[in-house]
Amino acid sequence: MTVRTDAGKAVRRYELKYLVSPADALVLEARLSGLLAYDTHTRDGSYEVRSIYFDDAGDTHLKEVQDGLSDRSKWRIRFYNRSDRYISLERKRKRNAMTLKESCAISRADLEALMEGRSPRGGDALLRSFSAAQAARGYRPRVIIDYQRVPFIYPAGNVRITLDRQIRCGNGFEAPFDCDGLSIPVEGSLLEVKYADFMPDFIRLALQVNHLAPASFSKYAVGRQTLHYMSINYPTGMEDYNGYWPFAAQSIKRMLDKLYLEEGDVSDMWDVQNAADMWLFNQLLYSKDTSEHAKNVYYSKRNWKDVDERLWMTPWDIDLTMQLNFCVHDSGMLQQDHRYDGKVCTVDVTPDMILPMGLLDYLTEPECPEGREMLKSRWRQLRLGAWSNDSIMGYIEEKRALLDESGAGIRDAERWSHEKPFFHIERIESWLSQRLIALDAYIASL
């Protein structure tokens, strides 16, 4: 159902979302291309979508998503293939599975005004409505999301099916048509199924693939979260550096003193979700150093001058990760060919081994119930998405294909006298499959 409003339009549809593996995405695209027409605006079957999402001073729309509200809305500006030939302002409202999208065309000058918090003159009723909301509630651009979209359409039932891949986010608001973004950690594609009145049975049957289950996925919310965890306010200039290091050291010492002197919960001093992500990341890869401890964790602060900013952690020096064995002596004791006293200095890591991680293991202690619940919740979320068996194995197979096409796999086998190419990749796949089973059981027991 489409309702015209001034120069704009409003489209009401049911909308369902699914996260699909790379292999299933290829199957779906092949099936749908034989049954449905591509959107007429595509180039060779796809186009790039770029959306600039706005939120008010209180991040109302982000919180609506995070709280799982079934009745919510969002504002965005959208254009295609990084061109200003057609730019639209959109308000999308959602109630359960039903969405209402209102849109109107705007000019590049209108876009620039809205990005700067200024109200364009005149325009469509929807543009005037957003300008009023911007003045009253302080709407500002929060994140830029872009992705490659493969769109299919079918007129009966006003059906629209899209596969979105290569989802990225950024905050280059000063150059919205030119900036590049960070990859969002989503393996595979986001399948969106939209229809107004009914879904024809032959399309419903064509969408049946392995492990297809509805997913709650907001590109806006995931993009905001990715920027939050990927951005750091680095010190600049010698004056900043000279102030940063003692400041960071004091913050870390304060947390460690509180922890080891048993002066209570330290969760108010670090970002629990970030710490949980670090613990899960190191456990999945058994990221062990050349000595008897986990790989280094780099402690920092996103805004280092903010005294109340919680400590933030990121992987550091993970060159031995995923090698399935590790040196058990410090690097200074190693001789040529990683031999020590005539023996190769490695031991096998079994898939059920749990890696001790010092400070991060505090998350699993009785004194930190929030940490244990965060580990369980985050693990369940990752296992349904980027860390599902299909996603992980699909990613490895994608890289294997690149090595195969380039001939690098054969050259590696010849250089190191392997019996066959991809010997290590097959070992990684086998080990990771068992590792995921072991971690499923261990994390559920916390």
Side-chain angles (χ1 to χ4, degrees):
M1 175 186 309
T2 302
V3 180
R4 297 283 172 180
T5 59
D6 291 358
K9 63 180 180 179
V11 179
R12 192 186 306 273
R13 285 192 181 105
Y14 291 99
E15 180 177 305
L16 302 172
K17 296 182 180 182
Y18 308 86
L19 287 173
V20 296
S21 69
D24 285 342
L26 290 174
V27 171
L28 285 170
E29 185 173 352
R31 285 182 188 171
L32 294 172
S33 64
L35 296 172
L36 309 179
Y38 285 101
D39 186 309
T40 56
H41 298 94
T42 62
R43 297 176 179 177
D44 298 323
S46 70
Y47 51 69
E48 183 187 42
V49 180
R50 174 160 288 192
S51 299
I52 305 169
Y53 286 87
F54 289 73
D55 213 330
D56 61 19
D59 278 337
T60 297
H61 303 312
L62 177 62
K63 292 174 182 176
E64 288 174 347
V65 176
Q66 293 173 335
D67 293 341
L69 299 184
S70 59
D71 192 352
R72 57 181 187 262
S73 63
K74 57 190 173 188
W75 287 95
R76 68 191 179 202
I77 292 175
R78 173 168 286 186
F79 49 90
Y80 303 88
N81 299 319
R82 305 197 185 196
S83 168
D84 62 0
R85 292 182 60 186
Y86 179 76
I87 307 171
S88 66
L89 171 69
E90 300 178 354
R91 174 169 56 189
K92 191 171 183 180
R93 297 172 175 174
K94 180 179 177 65
R95 176 170 293 178
N96 299 317
M98 177 65 75
T99 63
L100 172 66
K101 185 172 76 172
E102 304 165 273
S103 64
C104 70
I106 62 173
S107 67
R108 184 163 183 157
D110 292 337
L111 179 150
E112 292 170 351
L114 295 174
M115 296 284 284
E116 295 171 3
R118 297 184 287 110
S119 297
R121 294 183 178 180
D124 183 270
L126 187 67
L127 176 58
R128 296 195 299 272
S129 177
F130 179 65
S131 296
Q134 190 172 41
R137 297 173 54 182
Y139 275 93
R140 292 295 183 272
R142 299 301 186 192
V143 66
I144 298 174
I145 300 290
D146 61 60
Y147 48 91
Q148 204 68 24
R149 167 163 283 183
V150 180
F152 298 95
I153 57 174
Y154 190 74
N158 195 12
V159 176
R160 183 174 180 82
I161 299 175
T162 57
L163 284 162
D164 298 338
R165 57 174 65 105
Q166 300 171 25
I167 305 173
R168 300 172 68 85
C169 65
N171 55 4
F173 305 125
E174 70 285 350
F177 290 89
D178 304 315
C179 64
D180 291 319
L182 301 163
S183 292
I184 289 180
V186 178
E187 297 297 336
S189 301
L190 177 66
L191 169 68
E192 296 187 359
V193 180
K194 307 169 187 177
Y195 60 96
D197 304 313
F198 64 93
M199 172 69 72
D201 287 341
F202 79 95
I203 298 179
R204 197 183 302 275
L205 289 172
L207 294 173
Q208 300 305 309
V209 293
N210 296 327
H211 312 299
L212 188 64
S216 177
F217 186 92
S218 164
K219 298 187 189 79
Y220 169 57
V222 175
R224 288 288 302 271
Q225 182 184 45
T226 301
L227 286 182
H228 177 72
Y229 282 101
M230 299 288 279
S231 61
I232 305 177
N233 181 12
Y234 288 104
T236 57
M238 288 308 299
E239 182 178 350
D240 269 2
Y241 274 106
N242 291 337
Y244 167 74
W245 296 117
F247 179 86
Q250 291 167 10
S251 299
I252 295 168
K253 182 179 184 301
R254 190 160 58 95
M255 184 173 71
L256 293 176
D257 285 347
K258 186 172 181 180
L259 176 65
Y260 291 115
L261 295 176
E262 299 182 352
E263 294 180 352
D265 190 0
V266 300
S267 59
D268 62 326
M269 302 182 64
W270 64 356
D271 188 314
V272 177
Q273 179 168 334
N274 164 244
D277 285 349
M278 279 298 308
W279 189 92
L280 294 170
F281 174 81
N282 281 340
Q283 288 295 355
L284 176 65
L285 304 183
Y286 205 94
S287 185
K288 191 147 186 172
D289 211 333
T290 51
S291 55
E292 287 296 324
H293 57 75
K295 276 293 183 179
N296 301 331
V297 174
Y298 182 69
Y299 298 88
S300 184
K301 291 192 170 190
R302 282 185 295 274
N303 183 1
W304 71 270
K305 291 184 178 181
D306 185 348
V307 175
D308 296 324
E309 178 73 59
R310 298 181 181 188
L311 283 172
W312 185 65
M313 307 172 204
T314 191
W316 188 263
D317 183 26
I318 56 172
D319 54 293
L320 290 183
T321 294
M322 294 284 285
Q323 298 306 301
L324 313 184
N325 52 50
F326 57 88
C327 299
V328 296
H329 296 287
D330 289 334
S331 58
M333 302 172 66
L334 295 176
Q335 299 177 9
Q336 189 175 6
D337 297 328
H338 279 228
R339 292 179 179 273
Y340 180 71
D341 286 344
K343 297 180 179 179
V344 177
C345 193
T346 61
V347 298
D348 289 330
V349 177
T350 60
D352 60 347
M353 292 176 69
I354 299 301
L355 176 65
M357 278 189 275
L359 175 61
L360 287 173
D361 281 339
Y362 178 71
L363 292 167
T364 67
E365 297 296 327
E367 295 82 4
C368 189
E370 180 185 2
R372 296 199 306 279
E373 289 307 310
M374 178 62 73
L375 288 174
K376 292 180 181 179
S377 173
R378 186 67 169 140
W379 179 253
R380 287 193 297 268
Q381 180 185 13
L382 289 167
R383 292 290 280 135
L384 290 172
W387 289 9
S388 69
N389 289 55
D390 287 344
S391 292
I392 290 176
M393 298 307 160
Y395 177 83
I396 294 173
E397 289 303 314
E398 178 185 335
K399 302 309 174 187
R400 181 206 291 261
L402 291 175
L403 294 173
D404 190 21
E405 292 169 5
S406 67
I410 295 175
R411 293 195 299 272
D412 178 76
E414 293 173 347
R415 170 66 179 82
W416 300 107
S417 301
H418 299 319
E419 294 181 2
K420 58 180 179 178
F422 309 120
F423 165 76
H424 290 303
I425 293 180
E426 291 172 2
R427 190 176 175 194
I428 286 171
E429 289 177 322
S430 174
W431 187 86
L432 270 178
S433 296
Q434 299 174 67
R435 181 72 172 158
L436 289 165
I437 294 172
L439 288 177
D440 282 339
Y442 179 76
I443 292 170
S445 71
L446 291 177

